[in-house]
Amino acid sequence: MNHAGRIKKRLRALRINRAQTEAQLVLLEGVIHFRADGHAHWAKARGTPEVEAAGRAILAFRLEGRRLVVEFDDGSVLSVRRVWLGTRTAAQVPIT
């Protein structure tokens, strides 16, 4: 299974701050924290070794309002959107 699929299975919540410059993916075993503003652009993972490995595999991410899109080094893409009753998640796998 790819990184996006693994994270999608373990995802419990998406948190986004009011300014929409920081986001957190809350997983069963840890948290991946993202920041993208005029001063910093980084992603940090804390938790089990699997969560930290997924954090190291992040190539790029972008915050688009209430949506977080994460691209991984295996070509998979995770899209998580904050909606009124929770989150909507989609994992895309590269076509080979």
Side-chain angles (χ1 to χ4, degrees):
M1 183 178 283
N2 57 30
H3 292 295
R6 280 190 219 107
I7 290 179
K8 181 181 176 182
K9 285 177 71 172
R10 290 176 165 72
L11 184 65
R12 292 295 163 243
L14 169 67
R15 297 180 185 153
I16 299 178
N17 69 343
R18 283 186 194 245
Q20 298 175 346
T21 57
E22 293 188 48
Q24 291 180 341
L25 290 177
V26 181
L27 309 173
L28 285 173
E29 303 90 3
V31 174
I32 303 176
H33 187 167
F34 301 87
R35 181 169 182 159
D37 61 12
H39 303 288
H41 189 88
W42 49 259
K44 296 180 183 177
R46 291 189 181 179
T48 62
E50 185 175 283
V51 173
E52 292 179 1
R56 287 189 299 272
I58 295 172
L59 285 181
F61 71 91
R62 60 189 180 276
L63 286 164
E64 302 170 342
R66 303 182 95 183
R67 179 186 310 260
L68 172 67
V69 179
V70 184
E71 298 175 20
F72 295 95
D73 61 1
D74 63 358
S76 62
V77 177
L78 179 71
S79 175
V80 184
R81 184 171 50 128
R82 181 95 173 117
V83 294
W84 185 62
L85 293 174
T87 58
R88 296 227 174 151
T89 309
Q92 299 172 357
V93 181
I95 299 173
T96 55

